[in-house]
Amino acid sequence: MYQVEFRKGNIGQGSNLVVERQNENGEYENLRAEIRRHNDSIFIFWSEPFNGRVIFDE
């Protein structure tokens, strides 16, 4: 498993998170990733390496 950690204070409480993977055409597509919260951290998990981004808005 791969993961990235964010602090709640950096992205805000109640933010919407979207994980996107870049496909071979250079376009981004939504990815279903597991999101867990623990204390003041938010962890996003996925199963394989990829080029992508995490988008959040309040």
Side-chain angles (χ1 to χ4, degrees):
M1 292 290 288
Y2 296 87
Q3 73 178 23
V4 65
E5 176 183 2
F6 292 97
R7 303 293 294 173
K8 285 183 187 177
N10 292 343
I11 62 173
Q13 184 73 8
S15 295
N16 293 323
L17 294 174
V18 177
V19 179
E20 294 183 332
R21 174 177 35 205
Q22 190 176 27
N23 64 24
E24 53 277 346
N25 297 330
E27 299 171 344
Y28 287 94
E29 55 191 17
N30 286 347
L31 177 71
R32 289 193 144 240
E34 182 179 348
I35 299 174
R36 297 182 195 165
R37 290 173 172 77
H38 180 70
N39 295 332
D40 287 333
S41 296
I42 298 170
F43 297 92
I44 302 173
F45 296 90
W46 62 94
S47 61
E48 58 192 42
F50 63 89
N51 290 328
R53 60 188 180 187
V54 176
I55 301 171
F56 60 91
D57 62 32
E58 296 184 58

